[in-house]
Amino acid sequence: MSSYYDIDAILTDAQKVPCTFELDVPGLGVLDNNAGGDIRKGTQVSLPLWLGGFLAPQTFGGTTSALSIDLPASLAPRILNALKANPRTVDLRAQAPFFYALAAAALELFEEDEIVDILTETFKLRAAEISDHAHNTQGALGEGVEFLRGLDEMERQLFRAAHESSKRMRIWMGEQKKR
């Protein structure tokens, strides 16, 4: 659980997810660019993750939930297939700046073990590549530039930590050689 004041969590929860209303809701047409109108059953809208996550489990009339949430576009089958094929070539930042955080939040609402496995493997492979670029500054400046541009925020933090660690290790090793 992230902090209430965590800006990354706030920005993640503000990401839009596709939702479909399961019943008619009077007066909420503003969500569908119909101010003063009603939302009809079957209407598809994009809502912030926090709002969709709040409304989806709510039941009205005993059994009917207000809306159903679909997986965000960043977790579409096309993206998942690309991640299965070669995770290093996918620009995660273009999918969502907080890709992993959005995926984790969305997967709290769904039971998708296959997606969890794909994302776990993706993170492991990309973390190794990130570490390599962080420790090898020539790679980060040369052919690795495109890869580094496609890092989501979590991966960027990982890169910064690994790069800083590598830099401090070189400084420490230089001090040890002087002794």
Side-chain angles (χ1 to χ4, degrees):
M1 188 71 157
S2 59
S3 167
Y4 177 78
Y5 298 105
D6 182 9
I7 190 68
D8 292 346
I10 293 168
L11 292 172
T12 298
D13 285 345
Q15 297 283 315
K16 302 280 182 138
V17 293
C19 302
T20 305
F21 276 87
E22 302 296 332
L23 48 86
D24 294 337
V25 182
L28 266 184
V30 69
L31 294 176
D32 194 30
N33 294 325
N34 182 11
D38 300 338
I39 291 271
R40 298 278 175 223
K41 180 179 180 177
T43 301
Q44 295 182 341
V45 295
S46 291
L47 297 176
L49 180 63
W50 68 267
L51 182 58
F54 174 75
L55 291 175
Q58 304 296 324
T59 58
F60 298 91
T63 58
T64 307
S65 71
L67 58 87
S68 62
I69 300 177
D70 297 321
L71 284 171
S74 59
L75 296 175
R78 177 180 59 84
I79 305 301
L80 295 174
N81 287 335
L83 289 173
K84 280 194 266 185
N86 187 356
R88 293 175 187 99
T89 62
V90 179
D91 183 351
L92 294 184
R93 188 167 196 75
Q95 303 310 315
F98 297 91
F99 179 82
Y100 290 110
L102 176 62
L107 290 172
E108 286 180 11
L109 304 171
F110 300 95
E111 292 184 24
E112 295 284 343
D113 292 335
E114 181 186 6
I115 295 176
V116 171
D117 293 341
I118 292 168
L119 294 178
T120 301
E121 193 61 29
T122 295
F123 187 77
K124 284 194 254 181
L125 290 170
R126 289 174 65 96
E129 183 90 5
I130 290 166
S131 177
D132 184 40
H133 287 292
H135 294 293
N136 176 6
T137 54
Q138 298 297 17
L141 298 174
E143 72 279 352
V145 171
E146 282 304 312
F147 174 74
L148 295 175
R149 280 192 192 127
L151 301 181
D152 91 318
E153 285 301 316
M154 183 185 298
E155 291 173 329
R156 286 178 180 222
Q157 290 175 1
L158 179 63
F159 176 81
R160 282 187 215 107
H163 181 70
E164 187 63 29
S165 171
S166 176
K167 188 168 79 174
R168 288 181 185 213
M169 182 65 155
R170 283 192 294 272
I171 291 170
W172 181 79
M173 292 296 286
E175 291 174 0
Q176 292 300 315
K177 288 180 183 177
K178 291 178 183 176
R179 289 183 180 180

